[in-house]
Amino acid sequence: MIKYFILAFALTAVLVVGIFGVRGQKFSRPPLELFPDMDRQDKLLSQAPDRFFANGMGSRRPVDGSLPHATADGVFPLEFSTGMDGYYYTGAIDDYFGNGLPLEDLGLDAGSMPAFLRRGAERYDVSCTPCHGSSGNGKGITSYYGLAAIANLHDPRFGRDQYPDGRMYHVIANGQGLMSGYGATLPVRDRWAIVAYVRAMQAAKAAADSAGEPEPSASN
Ligand code: HEC
């Protein structure tokens, strides 16, 4: 009995090696192609000629206004802060999140503050409104499509005395829990502008509340 088993085993082994074991040889003829496997497709190859473009080159210049992913020496641009230290870049002072805008680094004074806040409002609208809502109440459009537990930025937990500016900066840059970070698309200065704008929204809401105004309607 065991004899037949060994025989069958040996045959199977030979068969398996015979079928799958051919590796690494070079064939001069193109392989048999049952399915094209997307081997041939219309695509651009950099540094290769291409008949599609008038100048005959496959390499294209980046679109005007493209942001470099890294400078020529491989360093991520400064305004996205990777690897940088200090309050302006991290929101932290030693082991703690700091409070207050880094006015000097931002080059801000009373005269330039309104424009800075307007910038913050505009960037907030682009990057945060879809989830947190234009008023910051956490009821942005994505909340109607199943993204649950979006933070209500008017919750006292996120007020300035409990939640320092540096921490909000850090969350914008790196994300927190379910929220991913926006450091790759928001330069340092814009992150601070958003922090400033969120603070202004919080203050406006608190002032309206204490003046006894009715709640804003549920739609953001
Ligand atoms: C894709 C949806 C989405 C976007 C866009 C978004 N957030 Fe969030 N955010 C969330 C969710 C969800 C949470 C709750 C995260 C958790 O607790 O897991 C959250 C939490 C937060 C928190 C509280 C974090 C904590 O410590 O609990 C802050 C502050 C915040 N977001 C600010 C912002 C700001 C400012 C922007 C714009 C730059 C922004 N978010 C963009 C979804 C989003």
Side-chain angles (χ1 to χ4, degrees):
M1 205 52 218
I2 190 84
K3 218 166 62 184
Y4 291 117
F5 174 77
I6 290 175
L7 199 68
F9 184 81
L11 277 177
T12 315
V14 167
L15 215 65
V16 167
V17 172
I19 292 173
F20 295 105
V22 188
R23 286 289 141 96
Q25 273 137 299
K26 290 205 167 129
F27 296 90
S28 53
R29 273 179 297 145
L32 196 67
E33 193 173 44
L34 297 181
F35 301 102
D37 283 344
M38 299 172 80
D39 281 344
R40 271 165 293 282
Q41 46 184 293
D42 291 330
K43 68 176 176 194
L44 281 180
L45 296 171
S46 56
Q47 310 202 0
D50 196 289
R51 279 180 300 141
F52 185 78
F53 292 104
N55 70 357
M57 289 199 242
S59 297
R60 312 308 305 165
R61 291 178 62 84
V63 179
D64 282 347
S66 301
L67 288 175
H69 179 65
T71 53
D73 48 9
V75 178
F76 210 60
L78 200 59
E79 66 264 37
F80 292 96
S81 80
T82 307
M84 300 298 291
D85 295 328
Y87 184 55
Y88 176 64
Y89 290 109
T90 62
I93 300 169
D94 296 330
D95 290 343
Y96 298 94
F97 288 121
N99 225 345
L101 295 176
L103 294 176
E104 247 173 58
D105 294 296
L106 291 165
L108 281 180
D109 55 26
S112 49
M113 191 55 95
F116 188 66
L117 276 175
R118 275 198 299 278
R119 173 76 184 171
E122 194 236 336
R123 292 293 102 183
Y124 176 93
D125 235 14
V126 171
S127 298
C128 320
T129 291
C131 295
H132 290 281
S134 58
S135 73
N137 64 3
K139 298 204 177 87
I141 185 74
T142 55
S143 71
Y144 297 98
Y145 292 92
L147 183 57
I150 304 172
N152 172 1
L153 299 177
H154 297 292
D155 190 308
R157 285 189 296 141
F158 303 121
R160 214 170 158 261
D161 45 344
Q162 294 192 40
Y163 201 91
D165 294 340
R167 184 162 175 200
M168 188 170 294
Y169 171 92
H170 173 85
V171 167
I172 294 173
N174 303 295
Q176 157 92 40
L178 278 177
M179 175 183 149
S180 58
Y182 288 83
T185 48
L186 285 170
V188 172
R189 193 183 166 81
D190 284 344
R191 298 173 206 165
W192 285 112
I194 290 175
V195 171
Y197 178 67
V198 170
R199 292 307 185 209
M201 275 202 299
Q202 289 172 333
K205 169 85 160 61
D209 284 352
S210 63
E213 283 181 20
E215 288 279 305
S217 67
S219 73
N220 56 76

